[in-house]
Short mmCIF file of all heavy atoms in Angstrom, two decimals:
data_model
loop_
_atom_site.label_atom_id
_atom_site.label_comp_id
_atom_site.label_asym_id
_atom_site.label_seq_id
_atom_site.Cartn_x
_atom_site.Cartn_y
_atom_site.Cartn_z
N GLU K 1 90.50 91.04 39.54
CA GLU K 1 89.51 92.04 39.84
C GLU K 1 89.96 93.38 39.26
O GLU K 1 91.08 93.82 39.47
CB GLU K 1 89.35 92.15 41.36
CG GLU K 1 88.46 93.25 41.77
CD GLU K 1 88.38 93.37 43.29
OE1 GLU K 1 88.93 92.50 44.00
OE2 GLU K 1 87.80 94.35 43.74
N MET K 2 89.08 94.00 38.52
CA MET K 2 89.37 95.30 37.90
C MET K 2 89.11 96.41 38.92
O MET K 2 88.06 96.47 39.53
CB MET K 2 88.48 95.52 36.68
CG MET K 2 88.68 94.51 35.57
SD MET K 2 90.23 94.72 34.71
CE MET K 2 89.80 96.05 33.63
N VAL K 3 90.12 97.27 39.07
CA VAL K 3 89.98 98.45 39.93
C VAL K 3 90.64 99.64 39.24
O VAL K 3 91.54 99.47 38.43
CB VAL K 3 90.60 98.24 41.34
CG1 VAL K 3 89.89 97.16 42.10
CG2 VAL K 3 92.08 97.94 41.24
N ASP K 4 90.18 100.82 39.56
CA ASP K 4 90.80 102.02 39.02
C ASP K 4 92.16 102.22 39.68
O ASP K 4 92.27 102.16 40.91
CB ASP K 4 89.92 103.25 39.27
CG ASP K 4 88.65 103.24 38.46
OD1 ASP K 4 88.58 102.47 37.48
OD2 ASP K 4 87.72 103.98 38.80
N ALA K 5 93.19 102.43 38.87
CA ALA K 5 94.54 102.54 39.42
C ALA K 5 95.42 103.40 38.53
O ALA K 5 95.13 103.63 37.36
CB ALA K 5 95.15 101.16 39.58
N ASN K 6 96.53 103.85 39.12
CA ASN K 6 97.53 104.63 38.43
C ASN K 6 98.70 103.71 38.09
O ASN K 6 99.32 103.14 39.00
CB ASN K 6 97.98 105.78 39.34
CG ASN K 6 99.03 106.65 38.70
OD1 ASN K 6 100.04 106.17 38.21
ND2 ASN K 6 98.80 107.95 38.73
N LEU K 7 99.01 103.55 36.83
CA LEU K 7 100.05 102.63 36.40
C LEU K 7 101.41 102.98 37.00
O LEU K 7 102.17 102.09 37.39
CB LEU K 7 100.14 102.58 34.87
CG LEU K 7 101.15 101.60 34.30
CD1 LEU K 7 100.84 100.17 34.74
CD2 LEU K 7 101.18 101.70 32.79
N PHE K 8 101.74 104.25 37.11
CA PHE K 8 103.05 104.62 37.65
C PHE K 8 103.19 104.16 39.09
O PHE K 8 104.25 103.72 39.51
CB PHE K 8 103.29 106.13 37.53
CG PHE K 8 104.66 106.52 37.98
CD1 PHE K 8 105.79 106.10 37.28
CD2 PHE K 8 104.84 107.30 39.11
CE1 PHE K 8 107.07 106.45 37.70
CE2 PHE K 8 106.11 107.65 39.54
CZ PHE K 8 107.23 107.23 38.83
N LYS K 9 102.13 104.25 39.87
CA LYS K 9 102.20 103.78 41.26
C LYS K 9 102.42 102.28 41.32
O LYS K 9 103.15 101.78 42.18
CB LYS K 9 100.94 104.18 42.02
CG LYS K 9 100.88 105.65 42.28
CD LYS K 9 99.75 106.04 43.16
CE LYS K 9 99.80 107.56 43.31
NZ LYS K 9 99.04 108.05 44.39
N ILE K 10 101.84 101.54 40.39
CA ILE K 10 102.06 100.10 40.33
C ILE K 10 103.51 99.81 39.95
O ILE K 10 104.14 98.90 40.50
CB ILE K 10 101.08 99.43 39.36
CG1 ILE K 10 99.65 99.63 39.86
CG2 ILE K 10 101.38 97.94 39.20
CD1 ILE K 10 98.58 99.20 38.89
N VAL K 11 104.06 100.58 39.03
CA VAL K 11 105.47 100.43 38.64
C VAL K 11 106.36 100.66 39.87
O VAL K 11 107.29 99.90 40.13
CB VAL K 11 105.84 101.41 37.51
CG1 VAL K 11 107.34 101.52 37.34
CG2 VAL K 11 105.18 100.98 36.21
N GLN K 12 106.07 101.70 40.63
CA GLN K 12 106.86 101.99 41.83
C GLN K 12 106.78 100.84 42.84
O GLN K 12 107.79 100.46 43.44
CB GLN K 12 106.38 103.28 42.48
CG GLN K 12 106.73 104.52 41.69
CD GLN K 12 106.16 105.77 42.31
OE1 GLN K 12 104.98 105.84 42.61
NE2 GLN K 12 107.01 106.77 42.50
N GLN K 13 105.59 100.29 43.03
CA GLN K 13 105.42 99.17 43.96
C GLN K 13 106.20 97.95 43.50
O GLN K 13 106.85 97.28 44.31
CB GLN K 13 103.94 98.83 44.12
CG GLN K 13 103.13 99.88 44.84
CD GLN K 13 101.64 99.63 44.74
OE1 GLN K 13 101.18 98.73 44.04
NE2 GLN K 13 100.87 100.42 45.46
N ALA K 14 106.13 97.65 42.22
CA ALA K 14 106.84 96.48 41.68
C ALA K 14 108.35 96.68 41.81
O ALA K 14 109.08 95.74 42.16
CB ALA K 14 106.46 96.26 40.22
N ALA K 15 108.83 97.88 41.56
CA ALA K 15 110.26 98.16 41.69
C ALA K 15 110.71 98.00 43.14
O ALA K 15 111.75 97.39 43.41
CB ALA K 15 110.57 99.57 41.19
N LYS K 16 109.94 98.51 44.05
CA LYS K 16 110.28 98.40 45.48
C LYS K 16 110.26 96.94 45.92
O LYS K 16 111.09 96.51 46.72
CB LYS K 16 109.29 99.22 46.30
CG LYS K 16 109.67 99.41 47.72
CD LYS K 16 110.60 100.59 47.84
CE LYS K 16 110.76 100.94 49.30
NZ LYS K 16 111.93 101.71 49.56
N SER K 17 109.35 96.17 45.37
CA SER K 17 109.26 94.74 45.69
C SER K 17 110.48 93.98 45.15
O SER K 17 111.01 93.09 45.81
CB SER K 17 107.97 94.16 45.12
OG SER K 17 107.91 92.79 45.32
N SER K 18 110.92 94.34 43.95
CA SER K 18 112.04 93.65 43.31
C SER K 18 113.39 94.08 43.87
O SER K 18 114.33 93.29 43.90
CB SER K 18 112.03 93.90 41.80
OG SER K 18 110.88 93.35 41.23
N ASP K 19 113.50 95.33 44.25
CA ASP K 19 114.76 95.88 44.76
C ASP K 19 114.43 96.91 45.84
O ASP K 19 114.34 98.10 45.56
CB ASP K 19 115.53 96.53 43.60
CG ASP K 19 116.87 97.12 44.02
OD1 ASP K 19 117.42 96.66 45.04
OD2 ASP K 19 117.35 98.02 43.33
N PRO K 20 114.22 96.44 47.09
CA PRO K 20 113.79 97.35 48.16
C PRO K 20 114.66 98.59 48.33
O PRO K 20 114.16 99.65 48.69
CB PRO K 20 113.84 96.47 49.41
CG PRO K 20 113.66 95.08 48.89
CD PRO K 20 114.34 95.07 47.54
N SER K 21 115.95 98.50 48.05
CA SER K 21 116.84 99.66 48.20
C SER K 21 116.81 100.55 46.96
O SER K 21 117.33 101.66 46.98
CB SER K 21 118.26 99.20 48.46
OG SER K 21 118.74 98.46 47.35
N LEU K 22 116.24 100.05 45.87
CA LEU K 22 116.19 100.75 44.58
C LEU K 22 117.57 101.15 44.07
O LEU K 22 117.73 102.16 43.40
CB LEU K 22 115.26 101.97 44.64
CG LEU K 22 113.78 101.66 44.86
CD1 LEU K 22 112.96 102.94 44.97
CD2 LEU K 22 113.21 100.77 43.75
N ASN K 23 118.58 100.35 44.40
CA ASN K 23 119.93 100.59 43.92
C ASN K 23 120.15 100.09 42.50
O ASN K 23 121.02 100.58 41.80
CB ASN K 23 120.97 99.91 44.84
CG ASN K 23 121.06 100.59 46.18
OD1 ASN K 23 120.83 101.78 46.30
ND2 ASN K 23 121.39 99.82 47.20
N ARG K 24 119.36 99.10 42.09
CA ARG K 24 119.57 98.49 40.77
C ARG K 24 118.45 98.80 39.79
O ARG K 24 118.48 98.34 38.66
CB ARG K 24 119.75 96.98 40.93
CG ARG K 24 121.00 96.65 41.74
CD ARG K 24 121.13 95.19 42.00
NE ARG K 24 120.10 94.83 42.98
CZ ARG K 24 119.86 93.60 43.39
NH1 ARG K 24 120.53 92.60 42.89
NH2 ARG K 24 118.94 93.35 44.29
N ILE K 25 117.47 99.57 40.23
CA ILE K 25 116.37 99.94 39.34
C ILE K 25 116.30 101.46 39.26
O ILE K 25 116.23 102.14 40.28
CB ILE K 25 115.02 99.39 39.85
CG1 ILE K 25 115.06 97.85 39.86
CG2 ILE K 25 113.87 99.89 38.99
CD1 ILE K 25 113.81 97.21 40.43
N GLU K 26 116.31 101.96 38.04
CA GLU K 26 116.19 103.41 37.80
C GLU K 26 114.81 103.67 37.23
O GLU K 26 114.43 103.11 36.21
CB GLU K 26 117.25 103.85 36.79
CG GLU K 26 117.19 105.30 36.43
CD GLU K 26 118.18 105.68 35.35
OE1 GLU K 26 119.27 105.06 35.29
OE2 GLU K 26 117.86 106.58 34.56
N ILE K 27 114.05 104.53 37.91
CA ILE K 27 112.69 104.85 37.48
C ILE K 27 112.65 106.29 37.02
O ILE K 27 113.04 107.20 37.74
CB ILE K 27 111.68 104.66 38.62
CG1 ILE K 27 111.72 103.23 39.15
CG2 ILE K 27 110.28 105.02 38.17
CD1 ILE K 27 110.87 103.02 40.39
N THR K 28 112.18 106.49 35.79
CA THR K 28 111.97 107.83 35.26
C THR K 28 110.46 108.11 35.31
O THR K 28 109.69 107.42 34.65
CB THR K 28 112.46 107.95 33.81
OG1 THR K 28 113.84 107.58 33.77
CG2 THR K 28 112.29 109.36 33.28
N PRO K 29 110.04 109.08 36.09
CA PRO K 29 108.61 109.36 36.18
C PRO K 29 108.07 109.94 34.87
O PRO K 29 108.82 110.50 34.07
CB PRO K 29 108.50 110.38 37.31
CG PRO K 29 109.85 110.92 37.50
CD PRO K 29 110.84 109.95 36.92
N PRO K 30 106.78 109.81 34.66
CA PRO K 30 106.19 110.35 33.43
C PRO K 30 106.26 111.88 33.43
O PRO K 30 106.27 112.51 34.49
CB PRO K 30 104.73 109.87 33.50
CG PRO K 30 104.48 109.57 34.93
CD PRO K 30 105.79 109.19 35.53
N THR K 31 106.35 112.45 32.23
CA THR K 31 106.42 113.91 32.12
C THR K 31 105.05 114.55 32.28
O THR K 31 104.94 115.73 32.57
CB THR K 31 107.03 114.32 30.77
OG1 THR K 31 106.27 113.72 29.72
CG2 THR K 31 108.48 113.87 30.68
N THR K 32 104.01 113.76 32.05
CA THR K 32 102.64 114.23 32.27
C THR K 32 101.93 113.24 33.19
O THR K 32 102.33 112.08 33.29
CB THR K 32 101.85 114.33 30.94
OG1 THR K 32 101.82 113.03 30.34
CG2 THR K 32 102.46 115.32 30.00
N GLU K 33 100.91 113.72 33.85
CA GLU K 33 100.15 112.87 34.76
C GLU K 33 99.47 111.74 33.98
O GLU K 33 98.80 111.98 32.98
CB GLU K 33 99.09 113.70 35.49
CG GLU K 33 98.35 112.97 36.56
CD GLU K 33 99.21 112.68 37.78
OE1 GLU K 33 100.19 113.40 38.03
OE2 GLU K 33 98.90 111.70 38.47
N LEU K 34 99.69 110.52 34.42
CA LEU K 34 99.04 109.38 33.78
C LEU K 34 97.60 109.28 34.28
O LEU K 34 97.35 109.49 35.47
CB LEU K 34 99.78 108.08 34.09
CG LEU K 34 101.20 107.95 33.56
CD1 LEU K 34 101.80 106.62 34.00
CD2 LEU K 34 101.22 108.04 32.05
N PRO K 35 96.68 108.95 33.39
CA PRO K 35 95.29 108.84 33.83
C PRO K 35 95.09 107.59 34.69
O PRO K 35 95.84 106.63 34.60
CB PRO K 35 94.51 108.72 32.52
CG PRO K 35 95.49 108.16 31.55
CD PRO K 35 96.83 108.68 31.97
N ILE K 36 94.07 107.65 35.50
CA ILE K 36 93.67 106.49 36.28
C ILE K 36 92.64 105.75 35.44
O ILE K 36 91.71 106.36 34.90
CB ILE K 36 93.09 106.93 37.64
CG1 ILE K 36 94.21 107.55 38.46
CG2 ILE K 36 92.42 105.77 38.35
CD1 ILE K 36 93.81 108.08 39.79
N PHE K 37 92.85 104.44 35.29
CA PHE K 37 91.90 103.66 34.51
C PHE K 37 91.78 102.26 35.09
O PHE K 37 92.65 101.83 35.86
CB PHE K 37 92.28 103.63 33.02
CG PHE K 37 93.67 103.14 32.74
CD1 PHE K 37 93.91 101.80 32.48
CD2 PHE K 37 94.74 104.02 32.72
CE1 PHE K 37 95.19 101.35 32.22
CE2 PHE K 37 96.03 103.57 32.46
CZ PHE K 37 96.25 102.23 32.21
N PRO K 38 90.73 101.54 34.74
CA PRO K 38 90.52 100.21 35.31
C PRO K 38 91.57 99.21 34.81
O PRO K 38 91.89 99.18 33.63
CB PRO K 38 89.13 99.79 34.83
CG PRO K 38 88.58 100.91 34.05
CD PRO K 38 89.64 101.94 33.88
N MET K 39 92.11 98.44 35.75
CA MET K 39 93.07 97.40 35.39
C MET K 39 93.09 96.34 36.48
O MET K 39 92.60 96.57 37.58
CB MET K 39 94.46 97.99 35.19
CG MET K 39 95.08 98.60 36.41
SD MET K 39 96.72 99.26 36.12
CE MET K 39 96.31 100.92 35.64
N GLN K 40 93.67 95.23 36.16
CA GLN K 40 93.84 94.16 37.13
C GLN K 40 95.18 94.39 37.84
O GLN K 40 96.24 93.94 37.38
CB GLN K 40 93.79 92.79 36.46
CG GLN K 40 92.43 92.47 35.90
CD GLN K 40 92.37 91.09 35.27
OE1 GLN K 40 93.40 90.52 34.94
NE2 GLN K 40 91.17 90.58 35.12
N VAL K 41 95.13 95.09 38.94
CA VAL K 41 96.33 95.55 39.62
C VAL K 41 97.24 94.39 40.02
O VAL K 41 98.45 94.45 39.79
CB VAL K 41 95.96 96.41 40.85
CG1 VAL K 41 97.19 96.76 41.67
CG2 VAL K 41 95.24 97.66 40.41
N ARG K 42 96.69 93.34 40.59
CA ARG K 42 97.53 92.22 41.00
C ARG K 42 98.28 91.60 39.83
O ARG K 42 99.46 91.29 39.94
CB ARG K 42 96.69 91.13 41.66
CG ARG K 42 96.43 91.35 43.10
CD ARG K 42 95.86 90.09 43.68
NE ARG K 42 95.17 90.41 44.91
CZ ARG K 42 94.56 89.53 45.65
NH1 ARG K 42 94.52 88.28 45.28
NH2 ARG K 42 93.98 89.89 46.76
N SER K 43 97.59 91.42 38.73
CA SER K 43 98.21 90.81 37.54
C SER K 43 99.30 91.70 36.97
O SER K 43 100.38 91.23 36.61
CB SER K 43 97.15 90.52 36.48
OG SER K 43 96.22 89.59 36.96
N ILE K 44 99.03 92.99 36.86
CA ILE K 44 100.01 93.93 36.32
C ILE K 44 101.22 94.00 37.25
O ILE K 44 102.37 93.95 36.81
CB ILE K 44 99.39 95.35 36.15
CG1 ILE K 44 98.23 95.32 35.18
CG2 ILE K 44 100.46 96.35 35.72
CD1 ILE K 44 98.58 95.01 33.76
N ASN K 45 100.97 94.07 38.55
CA ASN K 45 102.06 94.12 39.53
C ASN K 45 102.90 92.85 39.45
O ASN K 45 104.14 92.92 39.45
CB ASN K 45 101.49 94.31 40.94
CG ASN K 45 102.56 94.67 41.94
OD1 ASN K 45 103.73 94.39 41.76
ND2 ASN K 45 102.14 95.29 43.03
N ARG K 46 102.27 91.71 39.36
CA ARG K 46 103.00 90.43 39.27
C ARG K 46 103.85 90.38 38.01
O ARG K 46 105.02 89.97 38.04
CB ARG K 46 102.01 89.27 39.29
CG ARG K 46 102.67 87.93 39.42
CD ARG K 46 101.68 86.79 39.60
NE ARG K 46 100.41 87.22 40.13
CZ ARG K 46 99.22 86.90 39.63
NH1 ARG K 46 99.12 86.11 38.60
NH2 ARG K 46 98.11 87.35 40.17
N ALA K 47 103.29 90.81 36.88
CA ALA K 47 104.04 90.79 35.62
C ALA K 47 105.24 91.74 35.67
O ALA K 47 106.35 91.39 35.25
CB ALA K 47 103.12 91.16 34.46
N LEU K 48 105.03 92.95 36.19
CA LEU K 48 106.13 93.92 36.29
C LEU K 48 107.21 93.44 37.25
O LEU K 48 108.40 93.57 36.97
CB LEU K 48 105.60 95.28 36.74
CG LEU K 48 104.78 96.05 35.71
CD1 LEU K 48 104.13 97.26 36.35
CD2 LEU K 48 105.64 96.46 34.53
N THR K 49 106.80 92.88 38.38
CA THR K 49 107.76 92.37 39.35
C THR K 49 108.60 91.26 38.72
O THR K 49 109.82 91.20 38.90
CB THR K 49 107.04 91.87 40.62
OG1 THR K 49 106.34 92.96 41.20
CG2 THR K 49 108.02 91.31 41.64
N ASN K 50 107.95 90.37 37.98
CA ASN K 50 108.66 89.29 37.30
C ASN K 50 109.67 89.84 36.29
O ASN K 50 110.82 89.40 36.24
CB ASN K 50 107.67 88.35 36.61
CG ASN K 50 108.34 87.14 36.02
OD1 ASN K 50 109.22 86.56 36.63
ND2 ASN K 50 107.91 86.76 34.83
N LEU K 51 109.26 90.82 35.50
CA LEU K 51 110.16 91.43 34.52
C LEU K 51 111.36 92.09 35.21
O LEU K 51 112.51 91.94 34.78
CB LEU K 51 109.42 92.48 33.69
CG LEU K 51 108.47 91.95 32.63
CD1 LEU K 51 107.63 93.09 32.08
CD2 LEU K 51 109.24 91.26 31.53
N LEU K 52 111.10 92.80 36.28
CA LEU K 52 112.18 93.48 37.00
C LEU K 52 113.11 92.49 37.68
O LEU K 52 114.33 92.67 37.67
CB LEU K 52 111.60 94.46 38.02
CG LEU K 52 110.88 95.66 37.41
CD1 LEU K 52 110.13 96.43 38.49
CD2 LEU K 52 111.85 96.54 36.67
N ASN K 53 112.55 91.45 38.27
CA ASN K 53 113.39 90.41 38.89
C ASN K 53 114.31 89.77 37.84
O ASN K 53 115.49 89.54 38.11
CB ASN K 53 112.54 89.34 39.56
CG ASN K 53 111.93 89.80 40.86
OD1 ASN K 53 112.40 90.74 41.48
ND2 ASN K 53 110.86 89.13 41.28
N ASN K 54 113.77 89.50 36.67
CA ASN K 54 114.59 88.91 35.60
C ASN K 54 115.65 89.89 35.10
O ASN K 54 116.78 89.49 34.82
CB ASN K 54 113.71 88.44 34.45
CG ASN K 54 112.98 87.15 34.78
OD1 ASN K 54 113.40 86.39 35.65
ND2 ASN K 54 111.88 86.91 34.10
N ALA K 55 115.29 91.15 35.00
CA ALA K 55 116.28 92.16 34.56
C ALA K 55 117.43 92.23 35.55
O ALA K 55 118.59 92.27 35.15
CB ALA K 55 115.61 93.52 34.43
N ILE K 56 117.11 92.24 36.83
CA ILE K 56 118.16 92.29 37.85
C ILE K 56 118.98 91.01 37.83
O ILE K 56 120.22 91.04 37.90
CB ILE K 56 117.54 92.53 39.24
CG1 ILE K 56 116.99 93.95 39.31
CG2 ILE K 56 118.57 92.30 40.34
CD1 ILE K 56 116.12 94.22 40.53
N LYS K 57 118.31 89.87 37.70
CA LYS K 57 119.00 88.59 37.71
C LYS K 57 119.96 88.44 36.53
O LYS K 57 121.09 87.99 36.68
CB LYS K 57 117.97 87.46 37.68
CG LYS K 57 118.56 86.07 37.72
CD LYS K 57 117.46 85.03 37.75
CE LYS K 57 118.03 83.62 37.78
NZ LYS K 57 116.95 82.61 37.83
N TYR K 58 119.50 88.82 35.32
CA TYR K 58 120.30 88.57 34.12
C TYR K 58 121.12 89.77 33.64
O TYR K 58 122.12 89.59 32.97
CB TYR K 58 119.40 88.07 32.99
CG TYR K 58 118.78 86.73 33.33
CD1 TYR K 58 117.44 86.61 33.63
CD2 TYR K 58 119.56 85.58 33.37
CE1 TYR K 58 116.87 85.39 33.95
CE2 TYR K 58 119.02 84.35 33.70
CZ TYR K 58 117.67 84.27 33.98
OH TYR K 58 117.13 83.05 34.31
N ALA K 59 120.69 90.99 33.98
CA ALA K 59 121.43 92.17 33.53
C ALA K 59 122.05 92.95 34.69
O ALA K 59 122.87 93.83 34.48
CB ALA K 59 120.52 93.09 32.73
N GLY K 60 121.62 92.64 35.89
CA GLY K 60 122.17 93.32 37.06
C GLY K 60 121.50 94.63 37.39
O GLY K 60 121.75 95.21 38.44
N LYS K 61 120.63 95.12 36.51
CA LYS K 61 119.94 96.38 36.75
C LYS K 61 118.74 96.49 35.82
O LYS K 61 118.56 95.68 34.92
CB LYS K 61 120.87 97.56 36.52
CG LYS K 61 121.41 97.64 35.10
CD LYS K 61 122.41 98.76 34.95
CE LYS K 61 122.98 98.73 33.53
NZ LYS K 61 123.95 99.78 33.33
N ALA K 62 117.94 97.53 36.04
CA ALA K 62 116.77 97.77 35.19
C ALA K 62 116.49 99.26 35.11
O ALA K 62 116.78 100.01 36.05
CB ALA K 62 115.55 97.04 35.74
N LYS K 63 115.95 99.70 34.00
CA LYS K 63 115.51 101.07 33.81
C LYS K 63 114.03 101.03 33.43
O LYS K 63 113.62 100.23 32.58
CB LYS K 63 116.26 101.76 32.68
CG LYS K 63 117.64 102.19 33.02
CD LYS K 63 118.22 102.98 31.88
CE LYS K 63 119.56 103.56 32.25
NZ LYS K 63 120.09 104.39 31.19
N ILE K 64 113.25 101.91 34.05
CA ILE K 64 111.82 101.96 33.77
C ILE K 64 111.44 103.40 33.47
O ILE K 64 111.82 104.32 34.20
CB ILE K 64 110.97 101.52 34.98
CG1 ILE K 64 111.41 100.16 35.49
CG2 ILE K 64 109.50 101.52 34.65
CD1 ILE K 64 110.82 99.82 36.83
N SER K 65 110.68 103.59 32.41
CA SER K 65 110.08 104.90 32.16
C SER K 65 108.65 104.66 31.70
O SER K 65 108.35 103.67 31.05
CB SER K 65 110.86 105.68 31.10
OG SER K 65 110.84 105.03 29.87
N THR K 66 107.78 105.55 32.11
CA THR K 66 106.39 105.44 31.72
C THR K 66 106.01 106.68 30.92
O THR K 66 106.42 107.79 31.26
CB THR K 66 105.47 105.32 32.95
OG1 THR K 66 105.78 106.36 33.86
CG2 THR K 66 105.65 103.98 33.64
N ARG K 67 105.29 106.45 29.84
CA ARG K 67 104.88 107.56 28.96
C ARG K 67 103.43 107.35 28.53
O ARG K 67 102.94 106.22 28.47
CB ARG K 67 105.72 107.62 27.70
CG ARG K 67 107.16 107.90 27.95
CD ARG K 67 107.87 108.12 26.66
NE ARG K 67 108.16 106.82 26.03
CZ ARG K 67 108.84 106.67 24.92
NH1 ARG K 67 109.27 107.73 24.29
NH2 ARG K 67 109.09 105.50 24.43
N LEU K 68 102.81 108.43 28.19
CA LEU K 68 101.46 108.39 27.66
C LEU K 68 101.53 108.69 26.17
O LEU K 68 102.12 109.69 25.75
CB LEU K 68 100.60 109.44 28.38
CG LEU K 68 99.12 109.47 28.02
CD1 LEU K 68 98.47 108.15 28.36
CD2 LEU K 68 98.46 110.60 28.77
N PHE K 69 101.01 107.80 25.34
CA PHE K 69 101.01 108.00 23.90
C PHE K 69 99.66 108.42 23.42
O PHE K 69 98.65 108.05 23.91
CB PHE K 69 101.39 106.70 23.16
CG PHE K 69 102.85 106.37 23.29
CD1 PHE K 69 103.29 105.52 24.27
CD2 PHE K 69 103.77 106.93 22.44
CE1 PHE K 69 104.63 105.20 24.39
CE2 PHE K 69 105.11 106.62 22.55
CZ PHE K 69 105.53 105.75 23.54
#
């Protein structure tokens, strides 16, 4: 289901889900406000959570930064 959402907030949710203490995930917030646009929030959250879980599992940590191009 497509809903208007902020990608950075989804990144934060996925990081918290993958590492509740946020000890192994470093998040760099965007330097400018990201626009809200329609996306499939569940799918994006699931994909990000999977990526972060794999990063923690295989590398022991993860770094995330979001930018607007």
